[in-house]
């Protein structure tokens, strides 16, 4: 589905017709998964989760793999920079 919209910031920025088209596409994929099995071939989806959300993360990854794509995962909670920022915020409170 081609879209002139590049970023999802506010749901109200998109017209109802765009959302209806997205829902229709989702139904088509659900009803005919084999037709879309290679739709994302050669594409890489990067995920960045600020808070752990295993169910959401697995859903995104499963969908991308079913469409033939690949995933790069990044868990911000396990990064050194995030842990350091957390310590600095605690120190600021003291």
């Amino acid at each position: 589905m081609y879209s002139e919209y590049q970023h999802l910031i506010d749901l109200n920025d998109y017209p109802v017709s765009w959302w209806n088209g997205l829902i229709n596409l989702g139904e088509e994929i659900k009803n005919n998964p084999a037709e879309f099995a290679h739709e994302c071939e050669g594409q890489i989806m990067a995920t960045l989760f600020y808070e752990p959300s295993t169910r959401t993360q697995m859903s995104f990854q499963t969908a991308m793999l079913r469409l033939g794509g690949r995933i790069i995962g990044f868990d911000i909670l396990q990064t050194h920079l995030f842990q350091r920022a957390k310590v600095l915020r605690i120190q600021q409170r003291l």
Side-chain angles (χ1 to χ4, degrees):
M1 176 178 177
Y2 172 77
S3 175
E4 63 186 80
Y5 305 99
Q6 297 297 315
H7 304 284
L8 177 59
I9 304 218
D10 186 329
L11 299 179
N12 293 318
D13 290 343
Y14 291 71
V16 172
S17 60
W18 188 90
W19 290 110
N20 287 334
L22 185 65
I23 290 168
N24 291 336
L25 177 60
E27 287 176 350
E28 190 176 340
I29 293 170
K30 181 179 177 183
N31 294 332
N32 305 296
E35 290 183 25
F36 296 89
H38 301 285
E39 197 66 29
C40 291
E41 206 165 88
Q43 302 293 315
I44 299 172
M45 177 179 70
T47 59
L48 172 66
F49 287 90
Y50 183 75
E51 294 183 16
S53 177
T54 306
R55 190 172 49 209
T56 303
Q57 189 173 3
M58 293 298 109
S59 295
F60 276 61
Q61 290 178 2
T62 300
M64 187 60 166
L65 292 172
R66 285 183 176 170
L67 294 170
R70 297 179 5 197
I71 302 128
I72 297 173
F74 184 78
D75 187 352
I76 197 166
L77 290 176
Q78 295 178 1
T79 65
H80 174 72
L81 291 175
F82 181 78
Q83 295 301 327
R84 183 67 185 138
K86 200 158 108 177
V87 169
L88 290 173
R89 275 185 273 158
I90 291 169
Q91 289 175 346
Q92 287 175 345
R93 291 184 201 153
L94 299 177

